[in-house]
Amino acid sequence: MRTVIDELVSANRRYAAEFEPPGIDARPARRVAVVACMDARLDLHAALGLSLGDCHTIRNAGGVVTDDVIRSLTISQRALGTRAVVLIHHTGCGLLDLTEDFRHELEREVGQKPNWAVESFTDTEQDVRQSMARVRTSPFLLHTEDVRGFVFDVATGLLTEVDPAGPPAR
């Protein structure tokens, strides 16, 4: 029985048959790192007008800035020259429906508690603010002045910038 992974490997063989090294450095040409959700509806290169070699892309569930994201950003900045960080969450994120109960359910099922937090949230914009704050306050990152956060609308493809200070007081 042919699996989806078999199909991906076949596609890679077709790709490799015509592959020509792009002749670009591992250092992103635009000196930017993009942290985003792993959601399959986000085509980041198309949405941001990026080409191969323009950026580092770091993706995880929710686009949350975790310790591992800080690790990747630190390497991106200190070893590979990035200076700007773009954070992208999106509408209709699956983490809006999860809670830390997910970890407890896993522990009951497999007999071991995950050593990671779910990092779910109920307010997408507030979580973008939290992610911006985590980047800006990390002692490991050299460049924290050009950090901006956005919410991608999966229905329209538009980005809406999130004010790090929060919504205006009423």
Side-chain angles (χ1 to χ4, degrees), residues 37 39 41-42 89-97 121 124 151-155:
C37 185
D39 192 291
R41 297 171 289 183
L42 278 66
H89 285 30
H90 65 91
T91 58
C93 185
L95 283 187
L96 289 165
D97 298 326
F121 47 87
T124 305
V151 175
F152 177 88
D153 187 316
V154 298

Side-chain angles (χ1 to χ4, degrees), residues 9-158:
V9 171
S10 292
N12 174 257
R13 291 211 170 94
R14 290 188 301 277
Y15 170 78
E18 297 180 21
F19 181 77
E20 302 223 2
I24 55 178
D25 194 306
R27 295 174 179 268
R30 306 283 300 266
R31 297 175 69 161
V32 63
V34 178
V35 178
C37 185
M38 65 186 192
D39 192 291
R41 297 171 289 183
L42 278 66
D43 182 348
L44 295 172
H45 277 78
L48 299 173
L50 296 168
S51 298
L52 183 66
D54 280 349
C55 72
H56 281 157
T57 306
I58 304 161
R59 296 181 80 157
N60 67 19
V64 177
V65 175
T66 61
D67 287 346
D68 194 57
V69 169
I70 294 293
R71 171 190 161 273
S72 294
L73 287 172
T74 301
I75 292 166
S76 178
Q77 287 189 358
R78 290 179 176 263
L80 297 164
T82 59
R83 298 290 180 266
V85 179
V86 176
L87 304 167
I88 300 177
H89 285 30
H90 65 91
T91 58
C93 185
L95 283 187
L96 289 165
D97 298 326
L98 285 179
T99 67
E100 286 299 314
D101 288 341
F102 182 73
R103 291 178 72 227
H104 303 299
E105 292 165 13
L106 285 173
E107 181 180 16
R108 282 192 296 277
E109 182 183 325
V110 303
Q112 180 179 341
K113 190 176 199 174
N115 62 355
W116 39 263
V118 174
E119 296 272 1
S120 60
F121 47 87
T122 57
D123 182 329
T124 305
E125 288 188 13
Q126 182 54 36
D127 200 67
V128 171
R129 283 185 201 93
Q130 176 176 293
S131 290
M132 284 190 279
R134 286 179 177 173
V135 170
R136 288 186 172 133
T137 59
S138 173
F140 306 109
L141 298 174
L142 297 171
H143 307 285
T144 59
E145 59 284 346
D146 193 8
V147 177
R148 293 170 64 185
F150 300 85
V151 175
F152 177 88
D153 187 316
V154 298
T156 66
L158 289 173

